[in-house]
Amino acid sequence: MGSMRSIFTVVYLLVLLISVSPQAAKAGGLGSDKLLWEANQLYREFKDTEALEKFELVLALDPAQQEALCKASILCGRIGNRYGDDTYKGIYFQKSLGYAQRALAVDSTHAEANFVTALSLSLLSQTSSLKQRMQHLVLIKRYLQSALTYDAMHSGAWHLLGRWNYKVANMSFAERAASKLFTQQDLLTVTNQEAITAIYKSIELEPSNLLYYYDLARVLHDADQTNECISILQKALDQKLVTSEDLELSRRCRLLLQEVMKVRA
C-alpha cells in the first residue's frame, strides 16, 4: 500500500505540474521565472547578445516584467555602442529607449526605469541632430533627478549625472546657442566641480566600476586637479579587470596617467 501511495503521489504531482505550467508561463509564472534566471546568469557573465535574447523571451511571456525591460534596455545600449556605424548604433539605441519607456509605463516611480530612460537618451544623442541633443539634455536631467529621488544610492544615476554636468559645463558656443533656442532653459550654470562631486559619489557607492574612475580622472584632468587625477588613475589601475571593456578602460587609464605625469614633470 505504501508503494502504491507513493506512486499515486508522484503521478498526481506530475499531472499538476503539466496542467499548471502553460498557464503559469502565460501569466509570467514558472516559465518566465526560469528564463529570467537564465537571462540574469548570462547578464552577469557579460554575454550580452545571449542575455538580450533570453530577456526578450521573458518579455514575450510577460511583457510587463520590469527587470527584463530595464536590462534589455541596458543591453541594447551596450551592444549598440560597439558598432562603428551610426545606422546600427541608432537601431540599438532606439530599441534601448523603447524598452526603457515600456519600463516607465509599468511603474514611473521605479528608479532603474528612470535611470535606463536617461541612459538610452544619452546614448541616442550620439546619433541625433543638434536640436535633438539639446532636447535630450533636458529630458536626461529630469529622468536622473527622478531616479535619485526614488533611490538616492543609485550609483549609475550619480555617474550619468556627473557626465551630464561635465557635458553641459563644457558645451561649445554653438551648443550653448542651440540650448537656448531649442529648450528655452538655462543650462549654463553647471560646473566641472559638480561633475566631479557626482562621479565621486558613484565611486563611493560602487568602488569596483572602472568606468567611473576613468570618467572622473578625465574631468579632474580638464579641471587641472592634477594630484587628484593621478590618485584616481592609480586606484583605477588597481581594480580587477572582468570584461573586454575593462581591459580597454585600463589601457586608457594607463595612457592618461602617463600623459598627466609627463605634463607634471
Side-chain angles (χ1 to χ4, degrees):
M1 284 295 291
S3 61
M4 287 296 293
R5 188 179 294 111
S6 297
I7 293 170
F8 176 79
T9 301
V10 171
V11 171
Y12 173 76
L13 289 172
L14 285 172
V15 171
L16 183 63
L17 284 171
I18 291 169
S19 63
V20 170
S21 291
Q23 289 81 2
K26 289 178 184 177
L30 297 177
S32 64
D33 284 348
K34 182 175 183 296
L35 284 171
L36 183 61
W37 183 87
E38 292 172 350
N40 275 314
Q41 285 292 104
L42 292 167
Y43 186 86
R44 283 189 286 270
E45 294 167 4
F46 300 97
K47 296 178 180 177
D48 292 348
T49 302
E50 297 94 325
L52 178 59
E53 290 173 356
K54 285 286 185 181
F55 282 121
E56 288 176 334
L57 287 174
V58 172
L59 293 169
L61 292 172
D62 185 2
Q65 218 294 335
Q66 186 82 300
E67 182 181 359
L69 287 168
C70 289
K71 286 183 175 172
S73 177
I74 290 171
L75 289 166
C76 284
R78 282 185 192 167
I79 294 168
N81 232 354
R82 295 186 188 121
Y83 282 97
D85 183 86
D86 280 355
T87 300
Y88 286 106
K89 278 183 181 288
I91 290 170
Y92 274 98
F93 293 162
Q94 284 287 359
K95 282 185 68 176
S96 176
L97 180 59
Y99 283 126
Q101 289 174 328
R102 284 171 59 184
L104 270 181
V106 173
D107 182 3
S108 62
T109 67
H110 191 261
E112 185 73 359
N114 280 278
F115 165 67
V116 295
T117 303
L119 179 61
S120 60
L121 285 168
S122 178
L123 291 169
L124 195 57
S125 293
Q126 295 180 26
T127 59
S128 300
S129 67
L130 178 60
K131 178 180 179 179
Q132 289 172 322
R133 292 202 306 274
M134 294 305 104
Q135 292 170 337
H136 288 169
L137 279 176
V138 176
L139 293 173
I140 290 166
K141 181 65 177 295
R142 185 182 306 163
Y143 287 119
L144 288 175
Q145 287 175 327
S146 294
L148 291 170
T149 295
Y150 300 125
D151 181 6
M153 308 295 280
H154 197 297
S155 62
W158 279 110
H159 171 246
L160 192 55
L161 178 60
R163 294 188 73 160
W164 186 93
N165 287 335
Y166 178 72
K167 168 64 180 174
V168 173
N170 296 278
M171 284 196 298
S172 67
F173 177 81
E175 288 172 326
R176 290 174 185 274
S179 72
K180 288 183 179 180
L181 177 64
F182 297 129
T183 70
Q184 286 80 52
Q185 295 191 33
D186 184 13
L187 302 176
L188 307 181
T189 58
V190 181
T191 66
N192 279 337
Q193 189 55 49
E194 289 175 89
I196 290 167
T197 300
I199 304 177
Y200 260 122
K201 182 67 176 178
S202 70
I203 291 175
E204 177 187 323
L205 294 169
E206 191 180 347
S208 63
N209 194 311
L210 193 56
L211 177 60
Y212 298 173
Y213 290 92
Y214 177 65
D215 281 347
L216 178 56
R218 289 195 303 156
V219 182
L220 289 167
H221 181 46
D222 286 352
D224 293 323
Q225 297 185 30
T226 305
N227 290 336
E228 284 293 318
C229 178
I230 291 171
S231 175
I232 286 296
L233 287 169
Q234 288 171 337
K235 290 177 182 177
L237 294 172
D238 287 337
Q239 300 306 307
K240 181 180 179 182
L241 306 181
V242 178
T243 68
S244 57
E245 282 84 357
D246 286 343
L247 288 170
E248 173 60 20
L249 283 167
S250 182
R251 185 187 70 83
R252 292 182 186 180
C253 286
R254 187 168 283 103
L255 289 174
L256 182 55
L257 181 59
Q258 291 171 357
E259 178 186 336
V260 174
M261 295 293 284
K262 187 183 298 182
V263 170
R264 192 173 74 165

